[in-house]
Amino acid sequence: MKKLLILSFLGLLAFSGCKSLNVTHPESDLQLPNQFSEEEADSTATLAQIAWQNYFADPRLRGLIGSALANNQDNLITLQRIKAARASMMRAKAGLLPEISGRAGAAQRKFGDFTMDGVGNFDTNLSEDLTEDQLIPDPYKDFIIGANFEWEIDVWGKLRNRKKAAAARYLASEEFSRSVQTWLISEVASTYYQLLALDAEIGILNENIRLQELALQLIVELKEGGRANQLAIDQFEALVLNSKSQLEAKLREQQSAEYEMTRLVGSIDIPLERIELDSAVERPRILEVGLPAQLLQYRPDVREAEFSLQATKFDVNAAKAAFYPSITLFGMAGFNAFEFSKLFFSPASTVYQFGAGLTAPIFNRRVIKTEFELAKTDQQIALLEYEKRTLNAYLEVLDLVNQIQTYDNQLKLKQYEVSVLERSVENSNTLFSVGYANYLEVINAQSRALESAIELAELKASRLQSHVQLYRALGGGWN
């Protein structure tokens, strides 16, 4: 009766403390539009379903991406984190099972004559009921071999929720790894297109320097013939020097970009081969972006946030269960004797123990309540992170669709501008040779043509890079 009263008191104490802990898991009220635009309503095949091997057509770029995925240290670190998350999940899973451990030991102890054990052993040995084998030796020896077990019965779901939280975090770690790989692929492609643009700009500068040096040579000859002055020579020479200075800057950028590519690839032994800028192939149709809701299925960072949110839900449930009493079964079985020769006598040396325990928090309830409140706060943070990533994913796609569409229009205008300026260079040279244009008009035409050609190369690379960013924004094809 006394034991029943104690158990009832502990159960009532736990229930009275937990009935006020109402757990309501927050839900996201963020709603995305049904489609990005009316033109995309009937789209079926989406870019989000295309793996990077098919998205990027250039075999040299694909080779660099493959090397980066195999060697890049950031990517390899995330793979190790997946292993750590899996180990945590297995550890949480093992918590549901009984803990069984082997036990073996040997000890020797001398009891004093004026101790309870010493007096008790001496008095016991005087008993006429003991056989010679049962006399307690002095010093006392103790040999034991057996197994212990302990098992917390998961009545309130605390351990199950911890297991589910660990499993959700394992899945989140896999999505994080895909996020890193998507980032790595897009960085390699973006740097690759940057190198293509720099190669083109360096070629443009070299060709312009060649033409400008010919013009400088011509103006020198004209001065010798009395048709030009030193001021014209100085202006043409300054133009050549300015172009050479720009060339040095581009060469520096090219070298830095190659170093960056080497860092991304993760090895200095991989050649950075590449094609010409005008030969680069991009995805042709921008309207194949799919539906906004698909971002939740395809974006690894959004899915990572979703799994992390699920994990915090299980954390809250486990934190609440910590307020309830925990029931533990325990016991041991084996052999125990004070002489090794008698250790395995059965049943004479057989020992066992079986019991159950009930543990309820009393004085540490404030600590448990603090952990419960922290778990709820973490859940709110995870929900906000999920909503933020979802909204950012939607806006990123919208922005990139707009960028690519305007790049197409801008490129048409810029290409026409370059052709007009190239024509103006030819015309200014012709007019200058017959005296209908001055050297400043020639210099201005050459400078503007060079500027426009470089801008066109940068614009082509920017359009290619916007397609790279669209690949990343749509999820990287990991579905």
Side-chain angles (χ1 to χ4, degrees):
M1 184 65 180
K2 185 176 179 180
K3 292 181 180 179
L4 181 61
L5 287 174
I6 293 174
L7 292 175
S8 300
F9 170 73
L10 292 175
L12 180 62
L13 182 64
F15 176 75
S16 64
C18 295
K19 66 180 180 180
S20 61
L21 300 174
N22 296 321
V23 177
T24 55
H25 297 291
E27 299 290 339
S28 174
D29 56 2
L30 178 65
Q31 297 293 328
L32 297 181
N34 293 329
Q35 57 197 48
F36 288 105
S37 69
E38 293 182 1
E39 296 174 328
E40 294 145 17
D42 298 328
S43 177
T44 54
T46 72
L47 297 179
Q49 296 172 300
I50 300 176
W52 66 267
Q53 295 92 334
N54 299 322
Y55 190 93
F56 300 104
D58 184 353
R60 293 177 179 82
L61 174 56
R62 290 203 301 264
L64 290 171
I65 291 173
S67 298
L69 292 174
N71 301 312
N72 181 269
Q73 288 76 19
D74 290 327
N75 185 43
L76 296 179
I77 288 172
T78 61
L79 296 179
Q80 293 301 316
R81 287 176 177 170
I82 289 179
K83 292 182 180 180
R86 180 175 178 81
S88 297
M89 180 182 68
M90 299 306 295
R91 180 178 60 187
K93 183 178 180 180
L96 292 169
L97 303 175
E99 181 180 338
I100 302 176
S101 57
R103 179 182 178 185
Q108 178 173 295
R109 182 174 178 183
K110 168 67 176 175
F111 297 107
D113 293 338
F114 302 102
T115 63
M116 182 175 63
D117 291 322
V119 173
N121 291 344
F122 177 80
D123 187 61
T124 300
N125 284 340
L126 296 178
S127 173
E128 296 179 356
D129 296 329
L130 295 180
T131 65
E132 186 69 24
D133 291 340
Q134 292 177 315
L135 293 177
I136 300 173
D138 187 21
Y140 177 78
K141 296 178 181 180
D142 189 16
F143 299 95
I144 187 169
I145 187 168
N148 297 333
F149 88 93
E150 186 173 346
W151 185 19
E152 181 178 348
I153 301 177
D154 193 26
V155 178
W156 318 112
K158 177 178 66 176
L159 299 179
R160 288 193 299 274
N161 278 292
R162 286 177 180 174
K163 172 192 170 184
K164 292 177 181 177
R169 288 192 169 90
Y170 168 67
L171 294 174
S173 71
E174 286 192 324
E175 297 299 333
F176 175 73
S177 174
R178 291 179 181 139
S179 254
V180 171
Q181 291 180 54
T182 302
W183 163 83
L184 180 60
I185 291 168
S186 62
E187 284 295 302
V188 171
S190 181
T191 305
Y192 181 80
Y193 291 138
Q194 180 187 3
L195 281 168
L196 297 189
L198 288 169
D199 292 344
E201 292 167 20
I202 289 171
I204 292 169
L205 283 166
N206 280 322
E207 178 61 19
N208 274 268
I209 289 171
R210 185 185 69 82
L211 295 174
Q212 289 166 4
E213 286 178 338
L214 289 175
L216 176 60
Q217 184 179 355
L218 175 62
I219 203 70
V220 170
E221 292 173 356
L222 290 175
K223 181 193 174 187
E224 292 174 354
R227 296 177 56 190
N229 54 34
Q230 184 62 39
L231 179 59
I233 294 175
D234 292 342
Q235 292 291 328
F236 274 96
E237 186 176 4
L239 182 63
V240 173
L241 293 172
N242 179 266
S243 297
K244 288 183 176 180
S245 175
Q246 290 185 56
L247 177 61
E248 290 298 324
K250 293 299 178 182
L251 289 171
R252 180 174 63 249
E253 290 180 36
Q254 182 190 56
Q255 191 67 62
S256 295
E258 288 181 344
Y259 289 148
E260 174 64 13
M261 180 66 83
T262 300
R263 185 187 69 80
L264 291 171
V265 171
S267 173
I268 62 175
D269 300 325
I270 297 174
L272 305 181
E273 298 179 351
R274 46 192 183 267
I275 60 176
E276 294 182 356
L277 178 61
D278 289 335
S279 301
V281 179
E282 61 189 28
R283 297 302 308 175
R285 286 185 53 79
I286 183 58
L287 297 182
E288 298 176 349
V289 294
L291 303 176
Q294 291 175 321
L295 292 175
L296 308 183
Q297 305 171 28
Y298 299 150
R299 286 268 300 221
D301 59 331
V302 174
R303 288 178 58 79
E304 178 198 354
E306 181 183 2
F307 285 126
S308 297
L309 178 59
Q310 291 178 11
T312 60
K313 173 184 176 180
F314 299 129
D315 286 339
V316 171
N317 292 339
K320 180 182 178 181
F323 284 94
Y324 294 96
S326 59
I327 301 173
T328 304
L329 303 179
F330 58 87
M332 69 85 61
F335 300 94
N336 188 204
F338 49 68
E339 286 188 17
F340 187 78
S341 59
K342 301 181 177 64
L343 180 60
F344 297 102
F345 285 9
S346 179
S349 297
T350 302
V351 294
Y352 68 88
Q353 179 188 21
F354 181 79
L358 181 68
T359 305
I362 300 177
F363 297 107
N364 63 332
R365 293 178 61 81
R366 182 180 295 275
V367 175
I368 297 175
K369 187 174 183 179
T370 300
E371 292 177 351
F372 177 67
E373 294 299 327
L374 286 174
K376 291 198 297 183
T377 302
D378 289 340
Q379 187 178 31
Q380 288 289 345
I381 293 173
L383 176 62
L384 293 172
E385 181 68 25
Y386 170 76
E387 291 182 341
K388 182 184 78 171
R389 293 191 185 184
T390 302
L391 180 60
N392 287 347
Y394 171 71
L395 294 176
E396 279 179 17
V397 174
L398 280 182
D399 181 45
L400 287 165
V401 168
N402 175 65
Q403 283 187 35
I404 294 174
Q405 289 174 339
T406 55
Y407 274 136
D408 290 339
N409 298 331
Q410 190 179 0
L411 266 172
K412 293 176 184 177
L413 296 171
K414 182 61 68 174
Q415 286 169 338
Y416 184 61
E417 177 190 346
V418 169
S419 65
V420 170
L421 288 171
E422 287 175 348
R423 188 171 65 244
S424 73
V425 171
E426 294 177 4
N427 292 335
S428 65
N429 286 330
T430 302
L431 292 173
F432 178 72
S433 65
V434 296
Y436 283 97
N438 59 48
Y439 66 89
L440 291 177
E441 291 173 315
V442 176
I443 290 174
N444 183 63
Q446 290 182 349
S447 299
R448 191 65 196 97
L450 172 61
E451 226 175 274
S452 183
I454 290 177
E455 289 172 357
L456 177 60
E458 292 176 347
L459 196 57
K460 288 179 179 179
S462 295
R463 183 176 65 169
L464 289 169
Q465 289 175 353
S466 67
H467 281 272
V468 173
Q469 296 308 315
L470 182 63
Y471 157 81
R472 181 179 178 183
L474 292 175
W478 297 107
N479 61 302

